[in-house]
Amino acid sequence: MKIIYLTDIHDGLHGLKRILQTTEADLYLFSGDIIYKAFFSFDRIIDFCGVQEELYYLLTERKDDSTPFDFTTHAIRFPEKYSTAIVEKSQKYRDLYKLAAKTMKEKYEIIEKLIVKYAKSPVYCLPGNYDLDLQYTELYQREVHRKSFEFGNLKVSGYGGAPIWTSGIPEKLTVVFHEYTKNGKNYSEPEDFFREELPDICWIHNPAYGYFDTIPGVGKCGSQGIRRYLDDESPSLVVSGHVHEDQGIKKTKNTVFINPSNFGAVDSLHGFQEGGYFAEILMEGKNVVQSNLCQLRGEDWHTLIEVDCSEKYPKLISQNPISTVSSEDYIRGN
């Protein structure tokens, strides 16, 4: 069986169409961040990010732990309790918020139409921190956040989102990553979810702690709860994303971990990331036997690195001379 896995699509809709048109697979997994920008207009993006960030700063000053959405709802409902400037800012925020939600839903509708028209095999989707909760979009029948599905002899379970606030995205409509530490004790909803489901394929946007979760200059950002689960259990496959810079494949015990890096091009603090990356994953029964790192360049895609996953550790089969990713960096030791 062949799985094609794309993560951090970031509005790369033309590329998504090309993948559906030109690849063959038994199953497609499209992972967050599916959307990148909440507006088609750059000026609207600047306006919304600006007022959203101003409201977060105001809430921090007031030591108010409510969201901008909840705060502005109260300010509009009870204007006599706030200054004219705050009420006007609240109304601007809510107007832009509604437009952002509408625009993002239109983008998901376009993606659904692409899938219906071009996909020749089942497609499932997982939201990231740039996404709305997909149950409120046209992708609702494909979304796998806190859900599982059976495919052949495999059980696939997904948990989306990330423990980070994403500027420019309507925060009230996003997936909440329920993991936090209180009184020295860590609570993790994704850990509880995976322990209950015990999937063969563990599908996450935010990685587990220590597995492809290192942000340059920051350190590790992965989930402690998912890591605890994976220390105890050995699913066949764990696919993640979110951290574009920590691209690679690794095998620990009987579990293959893969982060192919971003499919959609993005500008980041670390520079322009061209993207186009995705993974082909070949399975026999419940075992991952091979995984290929691929990249879409223009209208065509290429296999960059072929990796044998059938033994204790992944090993290189071949590397395409055109690859800008080295097999030494991509294939991780134990």
Side-chain angles (χ1 to χ4, degrees), residues 27 29 124-126 140-151 154-160 190 192-203 229:
L27 176 66
L29 302 180
Y124 291 90
C125 301
L126 189 73
Y140 70 96
Q141 291 182 311
R142 305 180 188 279
E143 71 101 9
V144 191
H145 174 57
R146 294 190 303 184
K147 295 179 183 176
S148 298
F149 67 90
E150 303 281 344
F151 193 81
L154 297 170
K155 182 177 184 179
V156 183
S157 299
Y159 196 98
D192 291 347
F193 169 72
F194 287 121
R195 286 190 187 280
E196 182 176 339
E197 295 297 312
L198 295 174
D200 300 300
I201 298 177
C202 182
W203 180 11
Y229 164 73

Side-chain angles (χ1 to χ4, degrees), residues 130-147:
Y130 275 89
D131 292 305
L132 302 184
D133 187 330
L134 297 181
Q135 68 176 317
Y136 304 118
T137 76
E138 284 297 312
L139 296 175
Y140 70 96
Q141 291 182 311
R142 305 180 188 279
E143 71 101 9
V144 191
H145 174 57
R146 294 190 303 184
K147 295 179 183 176

